[in-house]
Amino acid sequence: MLVFWNEKLVLLAVPKTGTQAFERALGPRASIAITDPPELKHAPLYRYNRFFRPMFDKTGGADLELAAVIREPFSWLGSWYRYRQRLALDGLPVSTRGITYDAFLRASCRAAPPAFANVGSQAKFTEPRPNGTRVAHFFRYEDQDGYRAFLAERLGALPDIPRINVSPARDLSIAPETEALVRRVRAADFALWASIPVRGT
């Protein structure tokens, strides 16, 4: 999470949406850069509302606007699957080594997913709160031009933002019935992504 106090902007760090690259490039310019632990770095909106917003409100930050990047759901799930293939996780419950992408997707659709498929939901991550706290600016991960143009407008000229932490390629083929299952169970994620306009060229 990056907080730009004077620019009245907070960038939520939705996992697997390229946040590490922006954190590295823009972190030195942020008023507050929360990089650890992951539970705070990747604080969903409900956690922001509970822990950060009251503190910011009391110190003159009641008008801070929230922004978040949302990735096409199959691309997002594929990134999680590939990320959890890395050797450092081998033998741990969160590892997807030896598990097909199809099996990973089906497991992620269970009411109580096993550890390797427990990745949450982008829609749930950014779900508006009853007190009115919400994300004011959504961007598609695939629309980097639109997102960078918005950041440049709010923050000024941006430094180079290279791609980092890219997971290796893997076979992401799935059965048609698995695709249908994911679209049904994760309908809110697909609806959120589809609702976001493409702003770049």
Side-chain angles (χ1 to χ4, degrees), residues 42-186:
H42 295 294
L45 187 58
Y46 76 84
R47 193 170 293 148
Y48 170 88
N49 184 57
R50 181 177 179 183
F51 296 107
F52 295 100
R53 183 197 55 77
M55 175 178 61
F56 293 160
D57 284 357
K58 290 179 181 179
T59 51
D63 54 351
L64 288 170
E65 295 181 344
L66 299 170
V69 174
I70 301 296
R71 191 167 181 169
E72 191 282 324
F74 279 112
S75 175
W76 186 72
L77 291 163
S79 183
W80 270 116
Y81 171 75
R82 292 183 290 116
Y83 178 71
R84 290 182 170 179
Q85 290 265 309
R86 66 192 195 280
L87 286 174
L89 300 180
D90 202 11
L92 297 178
V94 295
S95 175
T96 56
R97 290 178 69 84
I99 298 170
T100 66
Y101 183 48
D102 193 282
F104 166 81
L105 288 179
R106 287 186 167 275
S108 77
C109 290
R110 296 179 194 170
F116 70 84
N118 189 7
V119 297
S121 158
Q122 295 179 96
K124 196 70 176 175
F125 188 101
T126 56
E127 186 176 39
R129 309 316 302 155
N131 66 351
T133 302
R134 64 181 184 86
V135 174
H137 307 282
F138 279 108
F139 298 87
R140 291 187 182 190
Y141 169 83
E142 298 78 10
D143 181 22
Q144 290 293 311
D145 287 345
Y147 185 47
R148 294 181 189 214
F150 168 79
L151 292 177
E153 182 179 334
R154 294 294 292 263
L155 307 177
L158 303 180
D160 289 336
I161 305 176
R163 292 188 69 196
I164 59 175
N165 199 29
V166 179
S167 301
R170 291 289 186 271
D171 178 16
L172 300 182
S173 57
I174 59 174
E177 53 269 27
T178 301
E179 178 179 349
L181 172 67
V182 174
R183 289 188 180 278
R184 183 174 70 254
V185 173
R186 294 185 172 272

